[in-house]
Amino acid sequence: MKAQNEQRAGLLYGFGAYGMWGLVPLFWPLLMPAGAVEILAHRMTWSLAVVGLALLAVRRWGWIRELLRQPRKLGLTALAASVISVNWGLYIWSVNNGHVVESSLGYFINPLVSIAMGVLVLGERLRRAQWVAVGLSFVAVLVLAIGYGRPPWISLVLACSFATYGLIKKKLNMGGLESLAAETAMLFLPALGYLLWLGAQGQSSFTSQGVGHALLLAATGLVTAIPLVFFGAAAIRVPLSTLGLLQYMAPVFQFGLGVLYFHEAMPPERWAGFSLVWAALALLTWDALRTARRSRARLVAAPVVAPAPAREPA
């Protein structure tokens, strides 16, 4: 019963995390007339404040000393912070400039890019279905490039940056709260410096658009931290395969918002490109579920080796 309750709670946390990530395109336009870089700087600054309070509540500080003693880990953390800054900044800009659908494509193809990186960087071997899925995604990018009249660079940069971030996080092996604290701590001074410079130039929307706007900018810390905390709670309660299926919620919501709420154009060639991506993801999901089922069947069928009886002393 306790295990079932834990799994049910994990699913709710997962739905909450990916649901919030899927609905976040509704939030960024509320921050205008702040530009994408100013919003990004506020997100970095206020995220550290929120995460700092969370760490204070759980009294988890020992990891800081351990991180500072490992230059390689520190360097990887700095690299992760740089990569996620590119991802966050481009995503905010794309939403506020009418590219919600194209940005959703980035998170649809992110699992496929992660697979490609596993082959190229980690030397992993793919199954036949995975090769077909990667091939379909490559064709989809070509179709979308023809449809847009240019490569879907927003999608590709978002997918590649987030896949790179995931690869770095895999090597870092740090908790979600701790890694976000370390990354935002490294970004805090440049972000705060940029905000102070904007204020000195009289270009800061934080001080010129009223209290409500300032509170919305401060809320970027909560918008960043809360889904991540929910994700961390889900990750320890539900199987990875379930979490992998839940991740498609976010781009589905984003795509729906782009088409139905923001009324972005979807000509036939874009539908064709997206359909190819969805076919690749369906194939990938089917292959993952089939492989997991076979692995469980092998474990059940494996003979149990009885321990050898203890020998009596002579």
Side-chain angles (χ1 to χ4, degrees), residues 13-289:
Y13 279 124
F15 279 121
Y18 286 110
M20 283 185 276
W21 279 327
L23 295 174
V24 80
L26 296 173
F27 178 70
W28 303 127
L30 300 177
L31 305 181
M32 296 172 75
V37 179
E38 183 182 0
I39 295 171
L40 176 62
H42 276 288
R43 188 177 187 181
M44 295 170 178
T45 304
W46 294 107
S47 292
L48 181 61
V50 172
V51 173
L53 288 174
L55 287 172
L56 194 63
V58 298
R59 298 180 180 179
R60 202 184 300 163
W61 304 104
W63 60 272
I64 298 176
R65 189 180 298 107
E66 183 184 343
L67 178 62
L68 293 175
R69 288 175 178 171
Q70 301 179 61
R72 181 178 175 276
K73 205 168 185 178
L74 206 57
L76 284 173
T77 303
L79 184 59
S82 302
V83 171
I84 201 61
S85 298
V86 172
N87 184 275
W88 285 357
L90 179 59
Y91 183 70
I92 294 166
W93 178 89
S94 64
V95 169
N96 285 356
N97 285 273
H99 299 287
V100 177
V101 168
E102 191 175 350
S103 65
S104 75
L105 176 64
Y107 294 105
F108 275 125
I109 65 176
N110 175 64
L112 298 160
V113 174
S114 295
I115 287 173
M117 281 191 172
V119 174
L120 298 173
V121 179
L122 302 178
E124 295 176 355
R125 298 181 64 182
L126 299 187
R127 295 181 293 274
R128 185 178 301 173
Q130 291 175 312
W131 276 117
V132 174
V134 172
L136 280 173
S137 67
F138 181 74
V139 175
V141 169
L142 291 179
V143 171
L144 288 165
I146 294 169
Y148 281 107
R150 57 169 174 78
W153 66 270
I154 293 173
S155 309
L156 294 173
V157 173
L158 286 174
C160 291
S161 59
F162 202 74
T164 303
Y165 180 69
L167 181 64
I168 297 168
K169 297 281 274 188
K170 184 180 177 67
K171 291 182 176 294
L172 274 171
N173 193 28
M174 288 176 65
L177 199 61
E178 292 86 348
S179 60
L180 182 62
E183 291 155 20
T184 50
M186 291 182 172
L187 299 169
F188 177 76
L189 287 179
L192 183 61
Y194 176 75
L195 293 176
L196 292 174
W197 178 82
L198 273 185
Q201 297 294 312
Q203 300 175 18
S204 171
S205 68
F206 184 77
T207 55
S208 63
Q209 297 295 318
V211 176
H213 181 74
L215 289 174
L216 282 172
L217 285 171
T220 55
L222 293 171
V223 169
T224 301
I226 291 175
L228 189 66
V229 171
F230 275 40
F231 174 79
I236 61 174
R237 288 175 171 85
V238 298
L240 194 60
S241 57
T242 304
L243 210 59
L245 292 175
L246 287 177
Q247 76 174 335
Y248 296 128
M249 276 181 60
V252 165
F253 281 12
Q254 292 163 12
F255 177 80
L257 286 173
V259 174
L260 301 174
Y261 182 81
F262 293 103
H263 304 292
E264 294 185 16
M266 279 295 292
E269 57 272 18
R270 289 187 196 170
W271 280 113
F274 270 85
S275 297
L276 285 168
V277 170
W278 294 332
L281 291 175
L283 181 60
L284 203 62
T285 302
W286 169 79
D287 179 69
L289 292 174

